[in-house]
Structure formats: C-alpha cells, structure tokens
Amino acid sequence: MDRMFRVLGFWTLVIGLAALAGEMVPMAMLFFAQTAIFVLLGYLKLSERAYIFIFWGYMLLSFTGFTYWSFFKMSV
C-alpha cells in the first residue's frame, strides 16, 4: 500500500508540472504540496489500515473542497 502513495505522488507531480507549464501557479503549488505529502507517506511504512484511513480522509477533504469551490466560488 505504501507504493500506492508514491504513485499518487508521481501523478500529482505530473499534474503540478502541467499546471506550472500552463501558468496556473496556485494550482501547481497545491499539487507540489500534495506530492511532498504523498511521497513522505509512501516511506513511513504504516499499516494498511492507516493508509486506507489516510486515503479516505484525503478523498473526503478533496471532494468536499472541490464541491464547495465549484458551487460557491466559481462564477456561472
């Protein structure tokens, strides 16, 4: 399971680099921070249960944030 967080770190790095190339600096910084967190988590050697809880917490936070931003902050 720890390798999966390293894979998530790789893909968030790719998305961050693409955002940086597209001159979306705040989005790039957000994804670079996620990259650092995922790579760090990938080397912690936690139990599988802990990794599952961390992943579901991340998904809950990101989906809630995305829904809030798209509903309340984006203009129609």
Side-chain angles (χ1 to χ4, degrees):
M1 193 71 176
D2 53 347
R3 280 188 240 154
M4 192 62 220
F5 275 91
R6 285 181 238 156
V7 170
L8 285 169
F10 169 77
W11 285 113
T12 54
L13 177 64
V14 169
I15 293 169
L17 289 172
L20 194 59
E23 298 178 3
M24 295 182 277
V25 177
M27 178 182 165
M29 294 301 127
L30 178 67
F31 275 87
F32 290 150
Q34 289 180 27
T35 298
I37 291 169
F38 284 146
V39 170
L40 176 73
L41 283 171
Y43 287 105
L44 283 181
K45 301 290 185 195
L46 299 173
S47 68
E48 187 171 347
R49 183 178 179 144
Y51 281 123
I52 296 290
F53 282 144
I54 291 169
F55 180 72
W56 278 104
Y58 168 75
M59 295 305 288
L60 181 69
L61 181 68
S62 64
F63 287 152
T64 304
F66 178 79
T67 303
Y68 171 78
W69 187 265
S70 62
F71 192 76
F72 293 112
K73 297 290 186 178
M74 290 180 72
S75 61
V76 176

